[in-house]
Amino acid sequence: MAEIKSAGPEAGAYVLDKVSASEELARQWSQSPSTAVHETQARDAGDSESALVFRIGEEWLALGTGVINEVADARPAHSLPHQRNRAVLGVLNIRGALRICVSLARLFQLGAENAKPTGHHLLVAMHEGQTLVFPVDEVAGVHRYDPSTVGAAPTTLAHAATQYTLGLLDWRGRKVGLLDHGLLFYALNRSMT
């Protein structure tokens, strides 16, 4: 500990870089070999952004990894009395803190109007100090991409998700809607107050 203090701020940065590199290596080893190789090749090609790809119903969407805190197993939400926003399912206990659970399926009008939201996983996301939880049906993993390759969202897209979409990513032969997390959190915050 004394060596780091006497070495100056560069030593602290060096240690933190080593920790980040170790975490990245551990994450790659935990993935299937083909995915880890694909992500390494993408990084070598100059990609600089990443997003978590997930499915809600039949829709594939992505949210920037910078706002994702964790992916948790689904659990029942406790309803909130007098809640006017149909997308708000209630609150969940995530690591000892109550978090608001929001159905993106209801918000984006995906599927039947009165269908009960199902989700096998929970995305815990935080933006500007606000934490929200989103139930999703499937989490595919992290996708690295070059921001210049994000395609425009088609204006013919009928879903309400269009207004929250930055553009489309190419992922495993599919088009995935990259969500604008800033706009999403802003709109949800306004609708809950």
Side-chain angles (χ1 to χ4, degrees):
M1 185 85 164
E3 289 181 8
I4 292 176
K5 285 182 183 178
S6 64
E10 300 86 22
Y14 175 78
V15 170
L16 290 176
D17 287 344
K18 285 295 189 185
V19 169
S20 296
S22 298
E23 290 172 351
E24 176 67 16
L25 186 59
R27 186 187 62 74
Q28 284 185 3
W29 277 100
S30 68
Q31 295 176 338
S32 67
S34 62
T35 305
V37 168
H38 173 71
E39 283 193 66
T40 302
Q41 290 169 345
R43 261 194 305 284
D44 293 342
D47 293 344
S48 60
E49 298 289 327
S50 61
L52 183 70
V53 177
F54 57 92
R55 182 179 58 81
I56 299 173
E58 299 299 316
E59 267 324 292
W60 286 95
L61 301 167
L63 195 57
T65 55
V67 297
I68 303 293
N69 282 1
E70 72 176 288
V71 176
D73 291 330
R75 58 195 79 153
H78 302 282
S79 63
L80 292 169
H82 311 294
Q83 180 52 245
R84 295 178 304 206
N85 188 337
R86 282 191 22 83
V88 175
L89 300 175
V91 293
L92 291 170
N93 182 339
I94 302 291
R95 298 191 184 272
L98 291 180
R99 303 295 183 196
I100 296 173
C101 183
V102 178
S103 170
L104 293 178
R106 286 185 180 174
L107 180 68
F108 299 156
Q109 300 168 4
L110 303 173
E113 180 66 23
N114 295 319
K116 183 176 180 175
T118 60
H120 303 292
H121 305 283
L122 299 171
L123 300 184
V124 182
M126 185 168 118
H127 178 66
E128 295 182 350
Q130 180 185 21
T131 302
L132 296 174
V133 180
F134 306 109
V136 299
D137 294 315
E138 181 179 349
V139 176
V142 175
H143 173 65
R144 295 194 61 81
Y145 64 95
D146 181 349
S148 66
T149 64
V150 176
T155 56
T156 57
L157 194 61
H159 299 302
T162 305
Q163 68 186 11
Y164 299 103
T165 304
L166 287 172
L168 297 177
L169 299 175
D170 287 318
W171 174 75
R172 296 182 183 173
R174 300 175 192 253
K175 296 292 186 187
V176 175
L178 177 61
L179 298 177
D180 181 341
H181 62 268
L183 181 59
L184 178 64
F185 272 76
Y186 174 77
L188 288 170
N189 191 36
R190 284 188 53 100
S191 71
M192 289 186 286
T193 55

